[in-house]
Each structure stands twice: as C-alpha cells, then as structure tokens.
C-alpha cells in the first residue's frame, strides 16, 4: 500500500508479530486532542514499517501505535492509498478539489484542520497564482503586478519559500520559450527535462483540441438533432479520457 522497499516479505503472521518489538514513544500513550504531531507519529510508524519490510502488513502492526491512533491509522492508510489513484493529468484546480474531497472522505474537520491546514493554505495560494498566470485576458505586465501584490500579502516565511525555490521566477519568466540548454543552465537537468516534457504535453493537448474543433465543425455542418449529439459524444469519447473531457468542456466554455 505504501511505497518503500521493493523486497518481498516472506515472514508468517506469527513471525511478523514476534518481530514487532519497537513501539512508539510512551509520551504519546494518551493522545488528547488530535494534533499535527500525531500525523508525524503515523508517518514515523510507516517509515519504521518500511525499514523493517513490513509495510505490506501494516494492518497487523497498528498495535505499535498508541490506542488513540490505532483507529485513525486505518483511515490514514486508506487516504494515502487513495492519493496514489489521483489522476496525474489533472489541472492544478482539479487536483486541489480532488485532495479536498479525499480529506473530507477520510477525516473529520478537526483532523483536517490539525493535519492539513498549512498544506491546504499553501495549495490554495498556489492555485490563486496559477489562475492569475493562466488568465490570457490579462497582459504580461498586469499578471506580474497581480502576482507581486498577491505574494506581498503572504506571511514572511511563505514569501521566502517562494523566492528561495524560484517557483515564481520559473512561472513569471517565459520558460516555454527557452530551449533545453537554457533551462538546464538556469534550473538544472532534472527540472529542464520535466519542463520540456510539460511543454511537449501542452503542445500535444493543443493539437488534439484543434483537431477536435475541426472535426466538431464538420459534424455540426453535416448532421443535426440527436444524430449530431450522438456523433459529438462519440467524437469526445474517442479523442479524450473522462478527465480530459471535463477539461475540454471548461476550455470550450471559456472560449465561447
């Protein structure tokens, strides 16, 4: 369930139980109100299981946690498994909504506030910046001014994080117009490879959308009524995945 060591665990359940001698610190025996420290404790527990090659048998290892965390461990592991199923092709907005939905499915509002508040706030702010930068109705100068205004109102530590990682610099400057060598010199080989792949995927997406629009126009010109709707539905299904169709619908609605 949780990625880690690739070795196969061959121990029997009795052997596994016999090995389970390491437990979490005694000071957490009585958890009290749920806090972020409890999430860290669960993460440490998972890392310990990975180290001992027991992650595939985590359900038999919850006794190594304080009683107050044993029940929520099930939800936490289910949540982490669900995260691996999130479509990697989602837009930033779609991914943000998907994570919010998953948190609501597995945790109470109190747990969400304690465990995910800072990450959710960061993601919401990143989404706000993305929406500004992706708004093609704004000039480059206006987008830059809005981004600067947005960042200026963030807490100091968050402003420093953005500046230190150069995330904003990458977005504000037209990286899509730089070649691989320029990107590599500026951000390193690994980042350059990812950016070039992103550029390729974006170009392929634009080409598919353009092709769809052309074929849609042909269908609309040659058919009408129910036959036209059926043909358009079949066209969308043949060219796009379910997630891409949602993205396409938003794109077409905004372009009207």
């Amino acid at each position: 369930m949780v990625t880690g060591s690739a070795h196969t665990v061959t121990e029997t359940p009795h052997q596994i139980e016999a090995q389970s001698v390491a437990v979490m610190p005694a000071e957490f025996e009585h958890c009290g109100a749920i806090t972020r420290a409890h999430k860290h404790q669960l993460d440490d527990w998972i890392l310990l299981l990975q180290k001992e090659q027991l992650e595939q048998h985590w359900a038999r290892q919850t006794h190594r946690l304080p009683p107050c965390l044993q029940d929520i461990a099930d939800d936490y592991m289910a949540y982490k498994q669900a995260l691996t199923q999130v479509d990697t092709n989602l837009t930033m907005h779609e991914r943000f909504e998907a994570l919010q939905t998953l948190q609501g499915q597995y945790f109470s509002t109190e747990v969400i506030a304690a465990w995910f508040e800072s990450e959710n706030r960061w993601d919401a702010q990143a989404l706000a910046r993305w929406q500004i930068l992706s708004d093609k109705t704004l000039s480059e100068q206006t987008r830059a001014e809005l981004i600067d205004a947005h960042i200026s109102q963030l807490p100091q530590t968050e402003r420093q994080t953005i500046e230190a990682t150069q995330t904003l610099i990458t977005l504000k400057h037209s990286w899509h117009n730089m070649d691989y060598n320029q990107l590599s010199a500026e951000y390193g080989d690994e980042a350059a490879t990812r950016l070039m792949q992103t550029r390729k995927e974006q170009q392929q997406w634009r080409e598919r959308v353009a092709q769809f629009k052309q074929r849609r126009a042909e269908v609309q010109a040659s058919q009408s009524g129910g036959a036209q709707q059926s043909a358009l539905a079949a066209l969308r299904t043949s060219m796009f995945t379910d997630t891409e169709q949602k993205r396409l619908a938003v794109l077409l609605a905004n372009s009207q």
Side-chain angles (χ1 to χ4, degrees):
M1 174 162 303
V2 180
T3 57
S5 171
H7 297 291
T8 301
V9 179
T10 58
E11 292 88 345
T12 66
H14 294 295
Q15 290 173 318
I16 292 171
E17 294 297 331
Q19 291 178 359
S20 304
V21 294
V23 296
M24 306 310 292
E27 59 266 26
F28 289 104
E29 182 177 354
H30 303 289
C31 297
I34 201 72
T35 68
R36 189 169 178 81
H38 296 134
K39 180 176 181 295
H40 294 325
Q41 189 179 3
L42 286 169
D43 289 334
D44 289 341
W45 169 70
I46 292 171
L47 289 174
L48 181 62
L49 296 184
Q50 291 174 345
K51 181 179 180 181
E52 298 177 358
Q53 302 178 20
L54 295 175
E55 62 271 24
Q56 298 301 323
H57 302 279
W58 67 267
R60 301 190 190 119
Q61 301 299 316
T62 57
H63 65 278
R64 301 168 75 169
L65 291 165
C68 56
L69 290 184
Q70 291 177 12
D71 289 338
I72 202 170
D74 293 342
D75 294 330
Y76 190 50
M77 296 300 283
Y79 170 74
K80 290 180 73 67
Q81 175 62 27
L83 286 180
T84 67
Q85 305 302 316
V86 175
D87 192 336
T88 57
N89 295 316
L90 295 179
T91 65
M92 183 177 293
H93 182 267
E94 291 168 341
R95 180 172 177 78
F96 179 77
E97 289 190 334
L99 294 183
Q100 297 292 301
T101 298
L102 287 179
Q103 290 173 17
Q105 287 177 353
Y106 291 101
F107 306 109
S108 67
T109 54
E110 292 78 13
V111 172
I112 293 173
W115 287 6
F116 303 105
E117 182 179 13
S118 59
E119 288 89 343
N120 289 342
R121 184 175 62 251
W122 175 269
D123 288 344
Q125 292 164 352
L127 177 61
R129 294 191 293 275
W130 176 78
Q131 290 173 330
I132 293 172
L133 291 167
S134 61
D135 189 346
K136 302 306 181 182
T137 66
L138 303 175
S139 67
E140 188 71 25
Q141 179 179 352
T142 300
R143 287 199 294 268
E145 291 173 350
L146 289 174
I147 286 292
D148 289 340
H150 170 84
I151 291 178
S152 68
Q153 300 178 36
L154 297 177
Q156 181 178 359
T157 54
E158 295 181 12
R159 292 200 308 271
Q160 292 174 338
T161 299
I162 292 174
E163 294 166 358
T165 59
Q166 294 189 316
T167 301
L168 178 62
I169 296 175
T170 300
L171 292 173
K172 288 177 64 176
H173 292 76
S174 300
W175 61 267
H176 50 276
N177 293 325
M178 300 169 66
D179 61 27
Y180 179 87
N181 291 335
Q182 292 171 317
L183 290 169
S184 179
E186 185 72 23
Y187 306 110
D189 290 340
E190 184 177 351
T193 300
R194 291 199 304 269
L195 290 170
M196 292 296 289
Q197 179 62 29
T198 298
R199 182 191 302 176
K200 178 181 178 181
E201 292 171 355
Q202 290 176 344
Q203 180 61 31
Q204 291 174 340
W205 168 257
R206 288 192 292 268
E207 290 174 355
R208 276 198 295 154
V209 170
Q211 183 182 12
F212 171 80
K213 289 181 177 180
Q214 179 179 351
R215 294 176 63 180
R216 180 184 64 171
E218 294 172 355
V219 170
Q220 292 172 334
S222 61
Q223 302 184 43
S224 61
Q228 180 187 107
Q229 296 303 314
S230 296
L232 291 176
L235 180 61
R236 285 192 294 270
T237 301
S238 67
M239 295 185 65
F240 303 99
T241 65
D242 291 343
T243 300
E244 289 175 338
Q245 288 182 49
K246 296 177 183 178
R247 181 181 175 189
L248 177 69
V250 173
L251 176 65
L252 295 177
N254 291 337
S255 63
Q256 292 178 352

